[in-house]
Amino acid sequence: MAHFRRTRLTNPDNLKRMTFADLGLSEELLKAVAEAGYTEPTDIQAEAIPSVLMMKDIIGIAQTGTGKTASFVLPMIDVLASGRRRARMPRSLILEPTRELAAQVAENFEKYGQNHDLKMALLIGGVQMGDQIKALDEGVDVLIATPGRLMDLFERGKIMLNGCELLVIDEADRMLDMGFIPDIEFICSKLPETRQTMLFSATMPPPIEKLAKTFLSNPKRIEVNRAATTNKDITAFKVNVEQRAKLSTLQWILRNDHVETAIVFSNKKTMVRELNKKLQSDGFRSGEIHGDIDQNTRQKELERFKSGDINILVASDVAARGLDIKGVSHVFNYDTPWHPDDYVHRIGRTGRAGAKGRAFTFVTKSDAEAIDNIEKLTGNKIKVFGKEDVRVDLIDPSADKKPGRGKGKGSAKDDRAEDASKKKPSRSRKAKSDEPREADQAPAEQQGAEREAEAPKAKRERAPRKPKGEDAPQRDSKPKGDSKERSSRRRDQDDEPVPAGEWNGPKPGFLDFGFKG
């Protein structure tokens, strides 16, 4: 049974002053790191890199966006610098849960390993096997793979794992969610027992703990910025909204909250497709990425998003972890995540590298339990989004941040916006509904006059009593169906979309951000 040694940061001030040169990396690697623009390691890098260079097994628990990819890529390059590669026998193996994560790790090896003679191969689904098999036949030092494609090639006899000196299991908790743990256990059983193993995860559920105890030998446990903590640079909101108002609410915020680039997450692939089509039809520059799209198309969509051809990416959780896309100003959880950990990973796509970000989670009545679990995990109550949180200060930089209270150039504009916000839809409905009521007055008055004229005659000549249940004449004063027409007119007006740039008062489930009942 493995024994865990747990380490924590004893002197954070010293780590802040630490440089990559203090970690024992080679001169060639330090040069590549400097060219990439990095000088100081993150907490996870400062603790993990020296241990990997000493060939220790590692359990790293760290929040997304903390730089844990470089914490194993950098020392691996130096460890593998000496040695000889052989055909179909990779010297090291890195397992990733998704194709996007695997491709990103491959980019890191290309960037940091430019001064080393190392060959790397990417083994992922969604692309032809021919080039992958050819790369394996030539021999590789680093094999980056998803479990499914690796198992497929292993069963075909195209790869042997008995020469693997080093194993990395990245995003282990995500592997668990995707059902890859049995495959990983099989793969580990085919690797040599004398190897170095590193396991990185945002959380440590029991199945991952069991995996670590089984396949790691006396590992060093490093725990930094767990997934239960959220980035301080991210301002998070929950938007209480009815299901039918989700799309109009999303469109309003996209148009009015100074959105530069955004990722919109949905729990279902079918909703990703549908939502992207609706956004495109309404004039937004959006694209989509999910598990049903082939790898080449997914990569093209990511490149379009990074280059600015599109500024909104509608995605499933394949884009929630590990993807490092600079400049994402907003993240939207169109559906509240089913798993609390996914919430932290999703909103972690914004607020990266010291930049500020905003995250919105749409919450319906059925999401009450899910949002409670998220708040328990993070230990924070998520602020309910209201009209005071709309970033009107970014629409007119000279205006006061509190609309209508400043005396600068933008104050008049803000006053108008505030006045418009006080107008209730009920007033416009009343104005419309007054018209038929005025038309109804004429027959009512006329009938009243006739009743007064006939009153004396009624006293002189008593009419026989009418049977019970027969309506009195005055009850027919209003035309039939009038009430239904007004009710229908009110419903139609409630469902009208809110124009961009107007608050226009609270509406059911939209911009009122609350439910009744």
Side-chain angles (χ1 to χ4, degrees), residues 277-495:
K277 288 179 182 178
K278 288 180 179 178
L279 289 176
Q280 288 179 344
S281 65
D282 288 332
F284 292 95
R285 293 186 296 117
S286 66
E288 66 184 72
I289 177 173
H290 53 80
D292 285 348
I293 297 177
D294 66 84
Q295 182 59 29
N296 289 333
T297 305
R298 282 157 70 169
Q299 199 61 36
K300 287 178 182 178
E301 286 292 275
L302 283 175
E303 291 303 323
R304 290 179 64 208
F305 185 61
K306 292 178 180 179
S307 66
D309 289 345
I310 58 175
N311 70 328
I312 299 171
L313 185 65
V314 188
S316 64
D317 278 317
V318 298
R321 298 202 180 203
L323 289 184
D324 187 9
I325 302 173
K326 295 180 180 179
V328 177
S329 64
H330 287 65
V331 165
F332 294 88
N333 289 314
Y334 192 80
D335 299 316
T336 301
W338 291 320
H339 301 291
D341 290 339
D342 289 339
Y343 169 82
V344 181
H345 287 293
R346 286 182 181 185
I347 71 170
R349 299 311 101 206
T350 186
R352 300 178 75 85
K356 302 295 181 182
R358 284 162 75 85
F360 295 82
T361 300
F362 291 177
V363 183
T364 64
K365 291 181 181 179
S366 61
D367 298 321
E369 183 179 354
I371 201 69
D372 285 346
N373 291 335
I374 289 170
E375 291 177 337
K376 287 178 184 176
L377 176 72
T378 60
N380 295 315
K381 276 286 184 182
I382 305 172
K383 187 180 187 302
V384 177
F385 184 67
K387 66 178 182 179
E388 71 277 5
D389 299 306
V390 180
R391 300 200 298 180
V392 293
D393 57 310
L394 292 176
I395 299 173
D396 185 354
S398 64
D400 195 327
K401 289 187 177 181
K402 294 184 178 180
R405 297 185 182 180
K407 296 183 179 180
K409 294 180 181 179
S411 60
K413 180 178 179 180
D414 292 338
D415 287 337
R416 289 195 298 272
E418 189 176 39
D419 291 339
S421 70
K422 295 178 181 178
K423 295 179 181 178
K424 304 291 184 181
S426 58
R427 294 184 180 179
S428 60
R429 289 199 300 270
K430 182 178 179 182
K432 289 189 176 183
S433 59
D434 283 345
E435 198 170 333
R437 289 178 185 172
E438 292 174 1
D440 293 342
Q441 293 299 321
E445 293 172 359
Q446 184 178 355
Q447 288 182 9
E450 290 175 355
R451 284 196 299 273
E452 289 177 3
E454 292 175 1
K457 186 177 180 180
K459 290 179 180 179
R460 291 192 301 269
E461 299 176 12
R462 289 180 177 274
R465 182 173 293 181
K466 293 184 180 181
K468 289 183 180 181
E470 186 174 338
D471 291 339
Q474 60 267 29
R475 293 185 182 179
D476 295 328
S477 60
K478 293 185 180 181
K480 292 182 179 180
D482 183 68
S483 176
K484 291 183 179 180
E485 289 176 7
R486 288 200 299 272
S487 177
S488 175
R489 191 179 297 112
R490 284 195 296 269
R491 286 197 301 270
D492 293 341
Q493 186 167 347
D494 283 345
D495 291 337

Side-chain angles (χ1 to χ4, degrees), residues 247-263:
L247 178 61
S248 56
T249 305
L250 173 65
Q251 291 174 332
W252 195 95
I253 299 175
L254 285 173
R255 290 190 175 107
N256 293 278
D257 200 64
H258 198 67
V259 176
E260 297 170 358
T261 57
I263 301 178

Side-chain angles (χ1 to χ4, degrees), residues 36-255:
Y38 299 107
T39 55
E40 296 181 0
T42 64
D43 292 348
I44 185 70
Q45 292 166 359
E47 289 217 43
I49 289 176
S51 298
V52 177
L53 291 174
M54 290 187 287
M55 306 302 293
K56 291 182 179 180
D57 284 8
I58 300 290
I59 293 178
I61 303 174
Q63 174 190 329
T64 182
T66 55
K68 64 176 179 288
T69 300
S71 69
F72 61 81
V73 167
L74 292 175
M76 278 181 67
I77 291 173
D78 270 353
V79 169
L80 296 170
S82 58
R84 183 172 62 88
R85 50 182 171 263
R86 291 176 286 180
R88 298 193 181 186
M89 294 181 66
R91 298 175 57 206
S92 64
L93 172 63
I94 301 174
L95 292 174
E96 296 287 345
T98 66
R99 305 167 190 175
E100 285 72 27
L101 278 173
Q104 187 164 288
V105 173
E107 290 176 4
N108 274 264
F109 265 102
E110 290 177 351
K111 177 169 61 177
Y112 298 127
Q114 56 182 305
N115 300 321
H116 291 75
D117 180 25
L118 295 175
K119 283 195 175 183
M120 178 265 302
L122 188 61
L123 232 60
I124 56 177
V127 296
Q128 296 294 328
M129 286 186 181
D131 292 339
Q132 296 175 350
I133 294 174
K134 182 180 178 182
L136 289 172
D137 289 340
E138 294 175 354
V140 295
D141 298 289
V142 181
L143 180 63
I144 306 165
T146 52
R149 178 53 62 94
L150 179 62
M151 289 283 291
D152 194 0
L153 288 177
F154 182 82
E155 291 171 356
R156 293 168 184 250
K158 302 296 183 182
I159 185 172
M160 293 178 286
L161 300 175
N162 54 348
C164 190
E165 307 165 3
L166 196 152
L167 170 67
V168 177
I169 304 172
D170 195 17
E171 300 286 358
D173 54 347
R174 181 64 173 163
M175 296 277 197
L176 174 64
D177 293 340
M178 299 178 70
F180 284 139
I181 296 301
D183 291 343
I184 293 175
E185 291 175 343
F186 176 83
I187 291 168
C188 289
S189 67
K190 302 300 178 183
L191 297 170
E193 292 186 4
T194 55
R195 66 173 187 274
Q196 182 181 8
T197 304
M198 291 173 276
L199 187 149
F200 289 88
S201 183
T203 58
M204 189 59 65
I208 303 302
E209 190 89 20
K210 178 183 175 183
L211 188 73
K213 289 180 179 179
T214 305
F215 297 109
L216 278 72
S217 174
N218 193 26
K220 178 178 180 180
R221 183 179 179 123
I222 303 169
E223 189 172 334
V224 178
N225 297 328
R226 296 193 64 172
T229 60
T230 53
N231 192 329
K232 65 182 185 327
D233 292 323
I234 301 172
T235 304
F237 300 99
K238 59 183 175 184
V239 184
N240 295 329
V241 63
E242 295 178 7
Q243 184 68 36
R244 66 180 177 85
K246 273 188 176 183
L247 178 61
S248 56
T249 305
L250 173 65
Q251 291 174 332
W252 195 95
I253 299 175
L254 285 173
R255 290 190 175 107

